[in-house]
């Protein structure tokens, strides 16, 4: 195997290795691994002061090629006075992550991304859109639910302006709270505490930032399933966590009586909100599938629901 500087004549072979044209960006060092008269690997390195950064490493899956390229890069790094090497690992690049784990690279920084239009909206208004949510407890005992809310909500930081209970519909008693509409984290905390107190099945359903639908199912006080329509809306996640935020139709069906086929059909995930129906619309459809039709709204609308009970503290 020969390691040599890449030339313009290698461009087509390198593109074939990466499955497309270059992702761009400046590189100070570009090497190819040549094996049997063909280009078998490629590495691009930015020779930054202190610690050179491997921007791209292509080996066609060959550990031998990877090792040869990294050895060559390491030698070049030492000539520049470096004592460490950085490896860029893009979100979702399983091959690069596996290489990093296998060789013992340690994460020292994380780069996050947000489209400029979304950043401008967040800076201007704090959120892309309104959040709202509700909690539904599998019980007909309205008085017990009201007492639990009276004891729990005052302990939530942020100062709720009011709560309301909606008597059982299809076996679910609904709870809506003004603070939990504003702060999805408080909705989750209240749902968890009510699940602990009641021991009943509890369903939390809401829209976050006007863009993302989330539901969480609790059984005997613990989370047994969680769905988020755009798992990485709030930032990159490990692949396992992304998969974990897809609804489990079997669990959902067992706890809510929903048709698992409909759960699978409706509770889809995507990388961006615009790949799915508008979040309020998706939440409304999900509410129907989960057996709480009409529940996908917030505190203010709940106050106008016939039979709603204001919870006084």
């Amino acid at each position: 195997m020969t390691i040599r500087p890449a030339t313009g004549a290698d461009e087509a072979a390198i593109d074939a290795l990466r499955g497309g044209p270059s992702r761009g960006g400046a590189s100070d060092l570009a090497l190819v691994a040549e094996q049997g008269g063909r280009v078998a690997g490629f590495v691009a390195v930015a020779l930054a002061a202190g610690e050179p950064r491997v921007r791209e490493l292509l080996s066609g899956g060959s550990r031998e090629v990877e090792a040869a390229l990294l050895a060559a890069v390491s030698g070049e790094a030492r000539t520049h006075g470096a004592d460490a090497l950085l490896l860029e690992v893009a979100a979702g690049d399983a091959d690069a992550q596996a290489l990093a784990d296998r060789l013992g690279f340690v994460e020292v920084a994380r780069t996050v991304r947000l489209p400029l239009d979304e950043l401008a909206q967040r800076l201007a208004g704090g959120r892309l859109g309104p959040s709202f949510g509700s909690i539904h407890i599998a019980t007909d005992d309205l008085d017990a639910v009201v007492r639990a809310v009276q004891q729990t909500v005052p302990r939530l930081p942020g100062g709720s302006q009011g709560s309301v209970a909606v008597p059982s519909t299809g076996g679910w008693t609904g709870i809506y709270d003004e603070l939990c509409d504003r702060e999805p984290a408080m909705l989750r905390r209240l749902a968890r505490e009510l699940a602990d107190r009641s021991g009943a099945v509890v369903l939390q359903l809401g829209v976050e930032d006007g863009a993302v639908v989330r539901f969480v199912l609790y059984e005997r006080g613990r989370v047994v399933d969680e769905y988020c329509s755009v798992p990485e809306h709030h930032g990159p996640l490990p692949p396992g966590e992304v998969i974990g935020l897809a609804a489990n139709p079997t669990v959902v069906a067992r706890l809510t009586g929903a048709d698992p086929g409909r759960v699978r059909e409706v509770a889809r995930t995507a990388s961006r909100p615009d790949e799915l129906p508008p979040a309020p619309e998706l939440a409304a459809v999900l509410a129907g599938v989960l057996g709480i039709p009409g529940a996908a709204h917030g505190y203010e609308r709940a106050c106008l629901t016939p039979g709603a009970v204001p919870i006084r503290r």
Side-chain angles (χ1 to χ4, degrees):
M1 184 185 306
T2 302
I3 306 298
R4 61 171 175 78
T7 69
D10 299 317
E11 186 173 339
I14 294 169
D15 285 347
L17 282 172
R18 67 165 63 99
S22 170
R23 64 186 179 183
S27 297
D28 303 309
L29 176 67
L31 303 174
V32 294
E34 198 170 55
Q35 193 173 39
R38 67 178 185 87
V39 172
F42 170 73
V43 66
V45 184
L47 297 173
E51 295 183 338
R53 179 184 299 267
V54 177
R55 298 190 58 259
E56 188 173 16
L57 177 62
L58 308 170
S59 67
S62 168
R63 293 192 181 186
E64 180 186 4
V65 172
E66 285 176 353
L69 287 169
L70 285 174
V73 169
S74 297
E76 187 69 24
R78 289 186 186 281
T79 67
H80 284 75
D83 58 7
L85 187 68
L86 300 176
L87 173 66
E88 289 188 3
V89 179
D93 188 340
D95 290 341
Q97 185 61 62
L99 170 66
D101 293 342
R102 187 172 71 250
L103 295 179
F105 280 82
V106 176
E107 183 175 320
V108 294
R110 187 164 67 100
T111 300
V112 294
R113 178 182 181 276
L114 183 67
L116 291 175
D117 289 346
E118 292 186 21
L119 175 60
Q121 287 179 302
R122 289 180 184 274
L123 293 175
R127 285 199 175 119
L128 293 176
S131 296
F132 61 85
S134 55
I135 298 165
H136 304 270
I137 305 175
T139 180
D140 294 322
D141 192 342
L142 178 64
D143 291 340
V145 171
V146 169
R147 287 195 300 272
V149 173
Q150 288 173 327
Q151 295 166 359
T152 305
V153 169
R155 300 203 308 271
L156 299 178
S160 171
Q161 301 302 305
S163 307
V164 63
V166 176
S168 174
T169 301
W172 298 94
T173 295
I175 297 296
Y176 299 79
D177 181 79
E178 183 273 337
L179 170 63
C180 292
D181 274 0
R182 289 186 276 122
E183 300 293 344
M186 292 300 101
L187 179 70
R188 188 182 189 98
R189 176 168 168 177
L190 179 58
R192 185 175 63 248
E193 294 203 18
L194 293 177
D196 286 339
R197 283 176 172 272
S198 68
V201 172
V202 172
L203 169 62
Q204 165 197 332
L205 173 67
V207 170
E208 300 173 3
D209 296 345
V212 176
V213 178
R214 186 187 302 271
F215 73 70
V216 185
L217 273 165
Y218 302 81
E219 184 179 29
R220 292 191 290 273
R222 66 184 184 89
V223 174
V224 291
D225 194 42
E226 182 171 2
Y227 161 77
C228 182
S229 60
V230 186
E232 296 187 294
H233 174 70
H234 297 294
L237 297 172
E241 291 188 28
V242 172
I243 294 171
L245 290 173
N248 184 324
T250 302
V251 173
V252 175
R254 177 174 65 82
L255 296 180
T256 70
D259 178 342
R262 284 288 288 154
V263 174
R264 189 174 295 107
E265 176 187 351
V266 174
R268 296 180 293 119
T269 60
S271 58
R272 301 194 314 272
D274 61 11
E275 296 174 352
L276 295 169
E281 177 183 317
L282 176 58
V285 175
L286 266 175
V289 170
L290 297 172
I292 46 173
H297 54 77
Y299 168 73
E300 291 187 4
R301 182 172 161 188
C303 290
L304 304 176
T305 302
V309 178
I311 299 177
R312 307 187 187 284
R313 295 184 289 276

